Amino acid sequence: MRKKIIIIMTAIVLVGGFIAGYRNINQKYPARKVETAEKGESLEFLDGVKISANGIKWLSTEEQAAIYENSGIDTSKVNYDTKIIEVSVCLKNTTEEEKEVPITYLSLETTGVGTAISQELLMGNSEHYSSMVEKLEPGEEKVVMYPYEICSIWFHKKDWKNIEMRSFWMTFASYPDKLFIFINEEQVKECRNRSPKTAKMHSKSME
């Protein structure tokens, strides 16, 4: 009987300690808040800089081959399929001062999979894509475009077969707030006051 009581008391202490620890963790790391933007809507990207989705393009086999060739990548040695997605977003400086906007952490996601901007493709095609650090003049609004590579080994075969039908979104913050922008095949929003370079890139990507 005494042994049984000791076991019960030990269990109570352990459960109590677990609950206290769980509450302590929740206080230190509260549940993240999710903030989303539909097409045509913008979110705060950095202090005073807004971001909105502008467009998405799946490259054709020929276009993809040219991008790989410019990057010096030999895809014949790869035993899985890949696809390149070009995503353009609109950045707007709402302040009265020049802004330098790092794009490094702008990720492309779909259910169960996320990927960053392909640095290799970007550097090999620097004239076609935008910079990883964009400069915005006061009040300037600019469309920028970046390449993302996705691989068939990340998906089930049936999902890869219909990969272009999946929903994708851009994510640039995960904690404490999860921020993401939905994108799709349609052109989401035209930006005003584009620089000649970004306007040319945009029209080419949407043809």
Side-chain angles (χ1 to χ4, degrees):
M1 183 68 179
R2 183 178 179 183
K3 184 177 180 180
K4 193 173 183 179
I5 293 174
I6 292 174
I7 292 174
I8 293 173
M9 293 299 295
T10 302
I12 292 174
V13 171
L14 290 174
V15 171
F18 175 79
I19 293 173
Y22 182 79
R23 288 179 176 176
N24 187 45
I25 290 174
N26 280 343
Q27 289 175 351
K28 287 184 178 181
Y29 307 101
R32 64 184 179 183
K33 181 178 67 176
V34 176
E35 187 175 356
T36 66
E38 301 290 343
K39 58 182 181 181
E41 300 176 340
S42 62
L43 291 175
E44 189 86 2
F45 187 58
L46 292 174
D47 291 338
V49 176
K50 298 284 188 178
I51 186 171
S52 59
N54 199 76
I56 177 174
K57 178 185 177 183
W58 294 83
L59 297 194
S60 66
T61 303
E62 294 76 16
E63 291 170 325
Q64 187 163 303
I67 293 294
Y68 280 132
E69 183 178 356
N70 292 339
S71 303
I73 299 174
D74 184 2
T75 56
S76 65
K77 298 179 180 179
V78 179
N79 60 359
Y80 53 83
D81 293 331
T82 62
K83 286 185 178 291
I84 297 175
I85 307 173
E86 291 180 345
V87 177
S88 59
V89 296
C90 183
L91 301 174
K92 183 176 182 179
N93 183 1
T94 62
T95 73
E96 297 181 356
E97 58 184 29
E98 183 182 283
K99 289 281 188 179
E100 287 194 353
V101 186
I103 313 293
T104 311
Y105 46 88
L106 188 62
S107 299
L108 178 69
E109 292 186 1
T110 185
T111 304
V113 174
T115 184
I117 294 171
S118 174
Q119 301 281 349
E120 198 170 10
L121 299 181
L122 181 72
M123 290 187 291
N125 299 269
S126 58
E127 294 184 358
H128 181 59
Y129 297 122
S130 304
S131 170
M132 291 301 290
V133 179
E134 284 292 333
K135 290 185 178 181
L136 297 176
E137 298 295 327
E140 183 180 5
E141 193 170 2
K142 180 187 292 186
V143 171
V144 292
M145 184 172 68
Y146 300 97
Y148 294 84
E149 184 182 44
I150 58 174
C151 306
S152 60
I153 55 176
W154 300 346
F155 302 88
H156 293 295
K157 288 184 178 180
K158 63 177 182 179
D159 293 330
W160 182 253
K161 185 177 180 180
N162 300 304
I163 191 65
E164 295 185 22
M165 303 299 293
R166 290 175 71 96
S167 295
F168 284 84
W169 52 88
M170 306 302 296
T171 301
F172 52 92
S174 296
Y175 195 85
D177 296 335
K178 173 83 171 182
L179 306 175
F180 57 90
I181 303 172
F182 292 104
I183 56 178
N184 54 29
E185 287 286 347
E186 301 173 2
Q187 181 174 334
V188 179
K189 183 182 179 183
E190 288 287 351
C191 280
R192 303 177 303 277
N193 304 322
R194 297 193 187 108
S195 67
K197 179 181 178 182
T198 54
K200 182 179 180 181
M201 284 197 309
H202 175 71
S203 62
K204 184 176 181 180
S205 70
M206 295 301 158
E207 289 176 352

